[in-house]
Amino acid sequence: AQTVTQSQPEMSVQEAETVTLSCTYDTSESNYYLFWYKQPPSRQMILVIRQEAYKQQNATENRFSVNFQKAAKSFSLKISDSQLGDTAMYFCAFMGGNAGNMLTFGGGTRLMVKP
Amino acid sequence: GAVVSQHPSRVICKSGTSVKIECRSLDFQATTMFWYRQFPKQSLMLMATSNEGSKATYEQGVEKDKFLINHASLTLSTLTVTSAHPEDSSFYICSARVAGSGNTIYFGEGSWLTVV
């Protein structure tokens, strides 16, 4: 079974600065997908960024980028130029390569962006 | 973008009654939907995987007779909490996999259930 670990329960960052959220996972599969989801106080799950394991290039979405280290099974999220609206819970998630596989979530990191 | 609608967003029911939560994909077909439960300040816990036209697959520890899941069409899955108790009070979230996409999943807005 796959496991996803987020070792930082809470983090804070000053507005406009950069913060990195950590995620490690364990799997025996070679083909899989990794995700970062944001859950603001509204509780709506919002996809932040997605990475296919077969791609060496790190995914980037505007201010959000990942550092994907496949050998180390590490998938960290970097948020640049942090904004107050980035305050939320962030969940790292794993999905195996089979079409029927589901998302396995990490425990989450609560990020607070301070003005 | 694709939308998954979950209804009701909030529901209060009395102990011993049943309550149904709907998860509907509005602009795509979803052969697979997932139901999660989220306790305060915790992560999402997968309860079951719902496949259109077949029985749901429940995760270990989830009572299938208490949490009835029906996926009668390619756009609708329902979760019925039967004989609800206060400990069933929680936030329930559904997600839907876009048919044929493999890894594209969208989440509903979630439903707060309070059992009094």
Side-chain angles (χ1 to χ4, degrees), chain A residues 5-87:
Chain A
T5 302
Q6 293 177 248
S7 59
Q8 306 150 315
E10 294 186 358
M11 292 193 72
S12 62
V13 63
Q14 291 296 130
E15 193 176 9
E17 294 190 346
T18 296
V19 64
T20 299
L21 308 184
S22 301
C23 173
T24 58
Y25 58 94
D26 188 25
T27 184
S28 58
E29 298 187 46
S30 58
N31 185 31
Y32 49 87
Y33 306 91
L34 295 164
F35 306 81
W36 278 97
Y37 281 91
K38 170 185 178 181
Q39 188 180 43
S42 67
R43 292 287 191 129
Q44 174 72 57
M45 293 291 284
I46 301 167
L47 177 63
V48 174
I49 201 164
R50 171 171 52 196
Q51 174 83 41
E52 291 88 350
Y54 63 86
K55 290 186 177 179
Q56 292 185 342
Q57 186 173 7
N58 289 324
T60 299
E61 289 288 342
N62 300 314
R63 298 183 295 107
F64 299 88
S65 61
V66 298
N67 183 3
F68 173 48
Q69 301 291 326
K70 191 172 184 178
K73 295 180 181 175
S74 171
F75 183 62
S76 60
L77 174 70
K78 185 172 81 171
I79 306 175
S80 304
D81 186 25
S82 297
Q83 300 176 359
L84 297 179
D86 295 334
T87 293

Coordinates of all heavy atoms in Angstrom, one line a residue, chain A residues 5-87:
Chain A
T5 N 3.5 11.1 3.4 CA 3.8 11.7 4.6 C 4.1 13.2 4.4 O 5.0 13.5 3.6 CB 5.0 11.0 5.3 OG1 4.7 9.6 5.5 CG2 5.3 11.6 6.6
Q6 N 3.4 14.0 5.2 CA 3.7 15.4 5.3 C 4.2 15.7 6.7 O 3.5 15.6 7.6 CB 2.5 16.2 4.9 CG 2.1 16.1 3.5 CD 0.8 16.8 3.2 OE1 -0.2 16.3 2.9 NE2 0.9 18.2 3.2
S7 N 5.5 16.0 6.8 CA 6.1 16.1 8.1 C 5.9 17.5 8.8 O 6.3 17.6 10.0 CB 7.6 15.9 8.0 OG 8.2 16.8 7.1
Q8 N 5.3 18.4 8.1 CA 5.1 19.7 8.7 C 3.6 20.0 8.9 O 2.9 20.3 8.0 CB 5.6 20.8 7.8 CG 7.1 20.6 7.3 CD 7.3 21.2 6.0 OE1 6.6 20.9 5.0 NE2 8.4 21.9 5.8
P9 N 3.1 19.8 10.2 CA 1.7 20.0 10.4 C 1.3 21.5 10.2 O 0.2 21.7 9.7 CB 1.5 19.6 11.9 CG 2.7 18.8 12.2 CD 3.8 19.3 11.3
E10 N 2.1 22.4 10.5 CA 1.8 23.8 10.4 C 3.1 24.6 9.9 O 4.2 24.3 10.3 CB 1.3 24.4 11.7 CG 0.0 23.9 12.2 CD -0.5 24.6 13.4 OE1 0.2 25.5 13.9 OE2 -1.6 24.2 13.9
M11 N 2.8 25.6 9.1 CA 3.9 26.5 8.7 C 3.3 27.9 8.5 O 2.1 28.0 8.3 CB 4.5 26.0 7.4 CG 5.3 24.7 7.4 SD 6.3 24.4 6.0 CE 7.6 25.6 6.2
S12 N 4.2 28.8 8.6 CA 3.8 30.2 8.4 C 4.9 30.9 7.5 O 6.0 30.5 7.5 CB 3.6 31.0 9.7 OG 4.8 31.1 10.4
V13 N 4.4 31.9 6.8 CA 5.3 32.6 5.9 C 4.8 34.1 5.9 O 3.6 34.3 5.9 CB 5.4 32.0 4.5 CG1 4.0 32.0 3.9 CG2 6.4 32.6 3.7
Q14 N 5.7 35.0 5.7 CA 5.4 36.4 5.5 C 4.9 36.6 4.1 O 5.4 36.0 3.1 CB 6.5 37.3 5.8 CG 7.0 37.4 7.2 CD 5.9 38.0 8.1 OE1 5.5 37.4 9.1 NE2 5.3 39.1 7.7
E15 N 3.9 37.4 3.9 CA 3.4 37.8 2.6 C 4.6 38.2 1.7 O 5.5 38.9 2.1 CB 2.5 38.9 2.7 CG 1.6 39.2 1.5 CD 0.6 40.3 1.8 OE1 0.6 41.0 2.8 OE2 -0.3 40.5 0.9
A16 N 4.6 37.7 0.5 CA 5.6 38.0 -0.6 C 6.8 37.2 -0.5 O 7.6 37.2 -1.4 CB 6.0 39.5 -0.6
E17 N 6.9 36.4 0.6 CA 8.1 35.5 0.7 C 7.8 34.1 0.1 O 6.7 33.9 -0.4 CB 8.6 35.4 2.1 CG 9.1 36.8 2.6 CD 9.8 36.7 4.0 OE1 9.6 35.6 4.6 OE2 10.4 37.7 4.4
T18 N 8.8 33.3 0.1 CA 8.7 32.0 -0.5 C 8.7 30.9 0.6 O 9.4 31.0 1.7 CB 9.9 31.7 -1.4 OG1 9.8 32.6 -2.5 CG2 9.9 30.3 -1.9
V19 N 7.9 29.9 0.4 CA 7.8 28.8 1.4 C 7.7 27.5 0.7 O 7.2 27.4 -0.5 CB 6.5 29.0 2.3 CG1 5.2 28.8 1.4 CG2 6.5 27.9 3.4
T20 N 8.3 26.5 1.3 CA 8.4 25.1 0.7 C 7.7 24.1 1.7 O 8.1 24.0 2.9 CB 9.8 24.7 0.4 OG1 10.4 25.6 -0.5 CG2 9.8 23.3 -0.2
L21 N 6.7 23.4 1.1 CA 6.0 22.3 1.9 C 6.6 21.0 1.5 O 6.7 20.7 0.3 CB 4.5 22.4 1.6 CG 3.9 23.8 1.8 CD1 2.4 23.6 1.6 CD2 4.2 24.4 3.2
S22 N 6.9 20.1 2.5 CA 7.5 18.9 2.2 C 6.5 17.7 2.1 O 5.4 17.8 2.7 CB 8.5 18.5 3.3 OG 9.5 19.5 3.4
C23 N 6.8 16.8 1.2 CA 6.0 15.6 1.1 C 6.9 14.4 0.7 O 7.7 14.6 -0.2 CB 4.9 15.8 0.0 SG 4.0 14.3 -0.4
T24 N 6.8 13.3 1.3 CA 7.4 12.1 0.9 C 6.4 11.0 0.7 O 5.3 11.1 1.4 CB 8.5 11.6 1.9 OG1 7.9 11.4 3.2 CG2 9.6 12.7 2.0
Y25 N 6.7 10.0 -0.1 CA 5.7 8.9 -0.3 C 6.5 7.6 -0.4 O 7.7 7.6 -0.6 CB 4.9 9.2 -1.6 CG 5.8 9.4 -2.8 CD1 6.0 8.3 -3.7 CD2 6.3 10.7 -3.1 CE1 6.8 8.5 -4.8 CE2 7.1 10.8 -4.2 CZ 7.4 9.8 -5.0 OH 8.2 9.9 -6.1
D26 N 5.7 6.6 -0.4 CA 6.3 5.2 -0.5 C 5.5 4.4 -1.4 O 4.3 4.4 -1.3 CB 6.4 4.6 0.9 CG 7.2 3.3 0.8 OD1 8.0 3.1 -0.1 OD2 6.9 2.4 1.7
T27 N 6.1 3.9 -2.4 CA 5.4 3.0 -3.4 C 6.4 2.1 -4.1 O 7.6 2.4 -4.2 CB 4.7 3.9 -4.5 OG1 3.9 3.1 -5.3 CG2 5.7 4.7 -5.3
S28 N 5.9 1.0 -4.6 CA 6.7 0.1 -5.4 C 6.4 0.3 -6.9 O 7.0 -0.4 -7.7 CB 6.4 -1.3 -5.0 OG 5.0 -1.6 -5.1
E29 N 5.5 1.1 -7.2 CA 5.1 1.4 -8.6 C 6.2 2.3 -9.3 O 6.8 3.1 -8.6 CB 3.7 2.0 -8.7 CG 2.6 1.1 -8.2 CD 1.2 1.6 -8.4 OE1 1.0 2.0 -9.6 OE2 0.4 1.6 -7.5
S30 N 6.3 2.2 -10.6 CA 7.2 3.0 -11.3 C 6.5 4.1 -12.0 O 7.0 5.2 -12.3 CB 8.0 2.2 -12.3 OG 7.1 1.5 -13.2
N31 N 5.2 3.9 -12.3 CA 4.4 4.9 -13.0 C 3.2 5.3 -12.1 O 2.4 4.5 -11.7 CB 3.8 4.3 -14.3 CG 3.0 5.3 -15.1 OD1 3.4 6.5 -15.1 ND2 2.0 4.9 -15.8
Y32 N 3.2 6.6 -11.8 CA 2.2 7.1 -10.9 C 2.1 8.6 -11.1 O 2.8 9.2 -11.9 CB 2.5 6.8 -9.4 CG 4.0 7.1 -9.0 CD1 4.3 8.4 -8.5 CD2 5.0 6.1 -9.1 CE1 5.6 8.7 -8.2 CE2 6.3 6.4 -8.7 CZ 6.6 7.7 -8.3 OH 7.9 8.0 -7.9
Y33 N 1.2 9.2 -10.3 CA 0.9 10.7 -10.4 C 1.0 11.2 -9.0 O 0.6 10.6 -8.0 CB -0.4 11.0 -11.0 CG -0.6 10.3 -12.4 CD1 -1.2 9.0 -12.5 CD2 -0.3 11.0 -13.5 CE1 -1.4 8.4 -13.7 CE2 -0.4 10.4 -14.8 CZ -1.0 9.1 -14.8 OH -1.2 8.5 -16.1
L34 N 1.4 12.4 -8.9 CA 1.5 13.1 -7.6 C 0.8 14.5 -7.7 O 0.8 15.1 -8.8 CB 2.9 13.4 -7.2 CG 3.7 12.1 -6.9 CD1 5.2 12.4 -6.9 CD2 3.3 11.5 -5.6
F35 N 0.1 14.9 -6.7 CA -0.7 16.1 -6.7 C -0.5 16.9 -5.4 O -0.2 16.3 -4.3 CB -2.2 15.7 -6.7 CG -2.6 14.8 -7.9 CD1 -2.4 13.4 -7.8 CD2 -3.2 15.3 -9.0 CE1 -2.8 12.6 -8.8 CE2 -3.5 14.5 -10.1 CZ -3.4 13.1 -10.0
W36 N -0.7 18.2 -5.5 CA -0.9 19.0 -4.4 C -2.2 19.7 -4.5 O -2.6 20.2 -5.5 CB 0.2 20.1 -4.3 CG 1.5 19.7 -3.7 CD1 2.6 19.3 -4.4 CD2 1.8 19.6 -2.3 NE1 3.6 18.9 -3.5 CE2 3.1 19.1 -2.2 CE3 1.1 19.9 -1.1 CZ2 3.8 18.9 -1.0 CZ3 1.7 19.7 0.1 CH2 3.0 19.2 0.2
Y37 N -3.0 19.5 -3.4 CA -4.3 20.1 -3.3 C -4.3 21.2 -2.2 O -3.7 21.0 -1.2 CB -5.4 19.1 -3.0 CG -5.9 18.3 -4.2 CD1 -5.2 17.1 -4.5 CD2 -6.9 18.7 -5.0 CE1 -5.6 16.3 -5.5 CE2 -7.3 17.9 -6.0 CZ -6.7 16.7 -6.3 OH -7.1 16.0 -7.4
K38 N -5.1 22.2 -2.4 CA -5.3 23.3 -1.5 C -6.7 23.2 -0.9 O -7.7 23.0 -1.7 CB -5.1 24.6 -2.1 CG -5.5 25.9 -1.3 CD -5.3 27.1 -2.2 CE -5.7 28.4 -1.4 NZ -5.6 29.6 -2.3
Q39 N -6.9 23.3 0.4 CA -8.2 23.3 1.0 C -8.3 24.6 1.8 O -7.9 24.6 3.0 CB -8.5 22.1 1.8 CG -9.9 22.0 2.3 CD -10.2 20.7 3.1 OE1 -9.4 20.3 3.9 NE2 -11.3 20.1 2.8
P40 N -8.9 25.6 1.3 CA -9.2 26.8 2.1 C -10.3 26.6 3.1 O -10.8 25.5 3.2 CB -9.6 27.8 1.0 CG -10.2 27.0 -0.1 CD -9.4 25.7 -0.1
P41 N -10.5 27.6 3.9 CA -11.6 27.5 4.9 C -12.9 27.1 4.4 O -13.7 26.5 5.1 CB -11.6 28.9 5.6 CG -10.2 29.4 5.4 CD -9.8 28.9 4.1
S42 N -13.2 27.3 3.1 CA -14.5 26.9 2.5 C -14.5 25.4 2.4 O -15.6 24.8 2.2 CB -14.6 27.5 1.1 OG -13.6 27.0 0.2
R43 N -13.4 24.7 2.5 CA -13.3 23.2 2.5 C -13.3 22.7 1.1 O -13.2 21.5 0.9 CB -14.4 22.6 3.3 CG -14.3 22.8 4.8 CD -13.2 22.0 5.4 NE -13.3 21.9 6.8 CZ -13.2 20.8 7.5 NH1 -13.1 19.6 7.0 NH2 -13.2 20.9 8.8
Q44 N -13.5 23.6 0.1 CA -13.4 23.1 -1.3 C -12.0 22.6 -1.6 O -11.0 23.4 -1.4 CB -13.8 24.2 -2.3 CG -13.7 23.8 -3.7 CD -14.7 22.8 -4.2 OE1 -15.9 23.1 -4.1 NE2 -14.2 21.7 -4.8
M45 N -11.8 21.4 -2.2 CA -10.5 20.9 -2.6 C -10.2 21.5 -3.9 O -10.9 21.3 -4.9 CB -10.6 19.4 -2.6 CG -10.7 18.7 -1.3 SD -9.3 18.9 -0.2 CE -8.2 17.7 -0.9
I46 N -9.0 22.1 -4.0 CA -8.6 22.8 -5.2 C -7.3 22.2 -5.7 O -6.3 22.2 -4.9 CB -8.4 24.3 -5.0 CG1 -9.8 24.9 -4.5 CG2 -8.0 25.0 -6.3 CD1 -9.6 26.3 -4.0
L47 N -7.2 21.7 -6.9 CA -6.0 21.2 -7.4 C -5.0 22.3 -7.7 O -5.3 23.3 -8.4 CB -6.2 20.4 -8.7 CG -5.0 19.9 -9.4 CD1 -4.3 18.8 -8.5 CD2 -5.3 19.3 -10.8
V48 N -3.8 22.2 -7.1 CA -2.8 23.2 -7.2 C -1.8 22.9 -8.4 O -1.5 23.7 -9.2 CB -2.0 23.4 -5.9 CG1 -0.8 24.4 -6.1 CG2 -2.9 23.9 -4.8
I49 N -1.4 21.6 -8.3 CA -0.4 21.2 -9.3 C -0.3 19.7 -9.4 O -0.6 19.0 -8.4 CB 1.0 21.8 -9.0 CG1 2.0 21.9 -10.1 CG2 1.6 21.1 -7.8 CD1 3.2 22.8 -9.9
R50 N 0.1 19.2 -10.5 CA 0.1 17.8 -10.8 C 1.4 17.4 -11.5 O 1.9 18.2 -12.3 CB -1.1 17.4 -11.7 CG -1.0 15.9 -12.2 CD -2.3 15.5 -12.8 NE -2.7 16.5 -13.8 CZ -4.0 16.5 -14.3 NH1 -4.9 15.7 -13.9 NH2 -4.3 17.4 -15.3
Q51 N 2.0 16.2 -11.1 CA 3.2 15.8 -11.7 C 3.1 14.3 -12.1 O 2.6 13.5 -11.3 CB 4.4 15.9 -10.6 CG 5.7 15.3 -11.1 CD 6.5 16.3 -11.9 OE1 6.6 17.5 -11.7 NE2 7.2 15.8 -12.9
E52 N 3.5 14.0 -13.3 CA 3.5 12.6 -13.8 C 4.9 12.1 -13.5 O 5.9 12.8 -13.7 CB 3.3 12.5 -15.3 CG 1.8 12.8 -15.7 CD 1.6 14.3 -15.9 OE1 2.4 15.1 -15.7 OE2 0.5 14.6 -16.4
A53 N 5.0 10.9 -12.9 CA 6.3 10.4 -12.4 C 7.2 10.1 -13.6 O 8.4 10.2 -13.4 CB 6.0 9.1 -11.6
Y54 N 6.7 9.9 -14.8 CA 7.6 9.6 -15.9 C 8.2 10.8 -16.5 O 9.1 10.8 -17.3 CB 6.9 8.8 -17.0 CG 5.7 9.6 -17.6 CD1 5.9 10.4 -18.7 CD2 4.4 9.4 -17.2 CE1 4.9 11.1 -19.3 CE2 3.4 10.1 -17.8 CZ 3.6 11.0 -18.8 OH 2.6 11.6 -19.4
K55 N 7.8 12.0 -16.0 CA 8.3 13.2 -16.5 C 9.4 13.7 -15.5 O 9.2 13.9 -14.4 CB 7.2 14.3 -16.6 CG 6.2 14.1 -17.8 CD 5.3 15.3 -17.9 CE 4.4 15.1 -19.1 NZ 3.4 16.2 -19.2
Q56 N 10.6 14.0 -16.1 CA 11.7 14.4 -15.2 C 11.6 15.9 -14.9 O 12.0 16.4 -13.9 CB 13.0 14.2 -15.9 CG 13.3 12.7 -16.0 CD 14.7 12.4 -16.6 OE1 15.3 13.3 -17.2 NE2 15.2 11.3 -16.4
Q57 N 10.9 16.7 -15.8 CA 10.8 18.1 -15.6 C 9.8 18.4 -14.5 O 8.7 17.8 -14.5 CB 10.4 18.8 -16.9 CG 10.4 20.3 -16.8 CD 10.1 21.0 -18.1 OE1 9.8 20.3 -19.1 NE2 10.3 22.3 -18.2
N58 N 10.2 19.3 -13.6 CA 9.3 19.6 -12.5 C 8.1 20.5 -13.0 O 8.3 21.4 -13.8 CB 10.1 20.4 -11.4 CG 11.0 19.6 -10.6 OD1 10.8 18.4 -10.4 ND2 12.2 20.1 -10.3
A59 N 6.9 20.1 -12.5 CA 5.8 20.9 -12.9 C 5.8 22.3 -12.3 O 6.3 22.5 -11.2 CB 4.5 20.2 -12.5
T60 N 5.2 23.2 -13.0 CA 5.1 24.6 -12.6 C 3.8 25.2 -13.0 O 3.3 25.0 -14.1 CB 6.2 25.5 -13.2 OG1 7.5 25.0 -12.8 CG2 6.1 26.9 -12.8
E61 N 3.2 25.9 -12.0 CA 1.9 26.6 -12.3 C 2.0 28.0 -11.7 O 1.7 28.1 -10.5 CB 0.7 25.8 -11.7 CG 0.3 24.6 -12.4 CD -0.3 24.8 -13.8 OE1 -0.8 25.9 -14.1 OE2 -0.3 23.8 -14.6
N62 N 2.4 29.0 -12.5 CA 2.5 30.3 -12.0 C 3.4 30.4 -10.8 O 4.6 30.1 -10.9 CB 1.1 30.9 -11.7 CG 0.2 30.9 -12.9 OD1 0.6 31.3 -14.0 ND2 -1.0 30.4 -12.7
R63 N 2.9 30.8 -9.6 CA 3.7 30.9 -8.4 C 4.0 29.6 -7.7 O 4.8 29.5 -6.7 CB 3.0 31.8 -7.4 CG 2.8 33.2 -7.9 CD 2.2 34.1 -6.8 NE 0.8 33.7 -6.5 CZ 0.5 33.1 -5.3 NH1 1.5 32.9 -4.4 NH2 -0.7 32.8 -5.1
F64 N 3.4 28.5 -8.2 CA 3.6 27.2 -7.6 C 4.5 26.3 -8.4 O 4.3 26.2 -9.6 CB 2.2 26.5 -7.4 CG 1.3 27.3 -6.6 CD1 0.5 28.3 -7.1 CD2 1.2 27.1 -5.2 CE1 -0.4 29.0 -6.3 CE2 0.3 27.8 -4.4 CZ -0.5 28.8 -5.0
S65 N 5.5 25.7 -7.8 CA 6.3 24.8 -8.5 C 6.7 23.6 -7.5 O 6.5 23.7 -6.3 CB 7.6 25.4 -8.9 OG 8.3 25.9 -7.8
V66 N 7.1 22.5 -8.1 CA 7.4 21.3 -7.3 C 8.9 21.0 -7.5 O 9.5 21.3 -8.5 CB 6.5 20.1 -7.6 CG1 5.1 20.5 -7.3 CG2 6.7 19.7 -9.1
N67 N 9.4 20.3 -6.5 CA 10.7 19.7 -6.6 C 10.5 18.2 -6.5 O 10.3 17.7 -5.4 CB 11.7 20.2 -5.6 CG 13.1 19.6 -5.7 OD1 13.4 18.9 -6.6 ND2 13.9 19.9 -4.8
F68 N 10.5 17.5 -7.6 CA 10.2 16.1 -7.7 C 11.5 15.3 -7.7 O 12.2 15.4 -8.7 CB 9.3 15.8 -8.9 CG 9.0 14.3 -9.1 CD1 8.6 13.5 -8.1 CD2 9.2 13.8 -10.4 CE1 8.4 12.1 -8.3 CE2 8.9 12.4 -10.6 CZ 8.5 11.6 -9.6
Q69 N 11.7 14.5 -6.7 CA 12.9 13.7 -6.6 C 12.5 12.2 -6.6 O 12.1 11.7 -5.5 CB 13.7 14.1 -5.4 CG 14.2 15.5 -5.3 CD 15.3 15.8 -6.4 OE1 16.1 14.9 -6.7 NE2 15.2 17.0 -6.9
K70 N 12.4 11.6 -7.7 CA 11.8 10.3 -7.8 C 12.6 9.3 -7.0 O 12.0 8.4 -6.3 CB 11.7 9.8 -9.3 CG 10.9 8.6 -9.5 CD 10.6 8.3 -11.0 CE 9.7 7.1 -11.1 NZ 9.4 6.8 -12.6
A71 N 13.9 9.3 -7.1 CA 14.7 8.3 -6.4 C 14.5 8.4 -4.9 O 14.5 7.5 -4.1 CB 16.2 8.5 -6.7
A72 N 14.4 9.7 -4.4 CA 14.2 9.9 -3.0 C 12.7 9.8 -2.6 O 12.4 9.9 -1.4 CB 14.8 11.3 -2.6
K73 N 11.8 9.7 -3.6 CA 10.4 9.7 -3.3 C 10.0 10.9 -2.5 O 9.3 10.8 -1.5 CB 10.0 8.4 -2.6 CG 10.2 7.2 -3.5 CD 9.8 5.9 -2.8 CE 10.1 4.7 -3.7 NZ 9.9 3.4 -3.1
S74 N 10.4 12.0 -3.1 CA 10.1 13.3 -2.4 C 9.4 14.2 -3.4 O 9.7 14.2 -4.6 CB 11.4 14.0 -2.0 OG 11.2 15.3 -1.5
F75 N 8.4 15.0 -3.0 CA 7.6 15.8 -3.8 C 7.2 17.1 -3.1 O 6.1 17.2 -2.5 CB 6.4 15.0 -4.3 CG 5.5 15.7 -5.2 CD1 5.9 16.1 -6.5 CD2 4.1 16.0 -4.9 CE1 5.1 16.7 -7.4 CE2 3.3 16.6 -5.8 CZ 3.8 17.0 -7.1
S76 N 8.1 18.1 -3.0 CA 7.9 19.3 -2.3 C 7.2 20.3 -3.1 O 7.4 20.4 -4.3 CB 9.1 19.8 -1.6 OG 10.1 20.1 -2.6
L77 N 6.5 21.2 -2.5 CA 5.8 22.3 -3.2 C 6.4 23.6 -2.7 O 6.5 23.9 -1.5 CB 4.3 22.3 -2.8 CG 3.4 23.5 -3.3 CD1 3.3 23.4 -4.8 CD2 2.1 23.5 -2.6
K78 N 6.8 24.4 -3.7 CA 7.3 25.7 -3.4 C 6.3 26.8 -3.9 O 5.8 26.8 -5.0 CB 8.6 26.0 -4.1 CG 9.3 27.3 -3.8 CD 10.7 27.5 -4.3 CE 10.7 27.9 -5.8 NZ 12.0 28.2 -6.2
I79 N 6.0 27.7 -2.9 CA 5.0 28.8 -3.2 C 5.9 30.1 -3.2 O 6.4 30.4 -2.1 CB 3.9 28.9 -2.2 CG1 3.2 27.5 -2.1 CG2 2.9 30.0 -2.6 CD1 2.1 27.5 -1.0
S80 N 5.9 30.7 -4.3 CA 6.7 32.0 -4.4 C 5.8 33.2 -4.2 O 4.6 33.1 -4.5 CB 7.4 32.0 -5.7 OG 8.2 30.9 -5.9
D81 N 6.3 34.3 -3.8 CA 5.5 35.5 -3.6 C 4.2 35.2 -2.9 O 3.1 35.5 -3.5 CB 5.3 36.1 -5.0 CG 4.6 37.4 -5.0 OD1 4.7 38.1 -3.9 OD2 3.9 37.8 -6.0
S82 N 4.3 34.6 -1.8 CA 3.1 34.2 -1.0 C 2.1 35.3 -0.9 O 2.4 36.5 -0.6 CB 3.5 33.7 0.4 OG 4.3 32.5 0.3
Q83 N 0.8 34.9 -1.0 CA -0.3 35.9 -0.9 C -1.2 35.5 0.3 O -1.2 34.3 0.6 CB -1.0 36.0 -2.2 CG -0.2 36.4 -3.4 CD -0.9 36.4 -4.7 OE1 -2.1 36.0 -4.8 NE2 -0.2 36.8 -5.8
L84 N -1.9 36.4 0.8 CA -2.8 36.1 1.9 C -3.8 35.0 1.5 O -4.2 34.2 2.4 CB -3.5 37.4 2.4 CG -2.7 38.5 2.9 CD1 -3.5 39.7 3.3 CD2 -1.9 38.0 4.1
G85 N -4.2 35.0 0.3 CA -5.2 34.0 -0.2 C -4.6 32.6 -0.3 O -5.3 31.6 -0.5
D86 N -3.3 32.5 -0.1 CA -2.7 31.1 -0.1 C -2.9 30.4 1.3 O -2.6 29.2 1.4 CB -1.2 31.2 -0.3 CG -0.9 31.8 -1.7 OD1 -1.7 31.6 -2.6 OD2 0.2 32.3 -1.9
T87 N -3.4 31.2 2.3 CA -3.6 30.6 3.6 C -4.6 29.4 3.4 O -5.8 29.7 3.0 CB -4.1 31.6 4.6 OG1 -3.1 32.6 4.8 CG2 -4.6 31.0 5.9

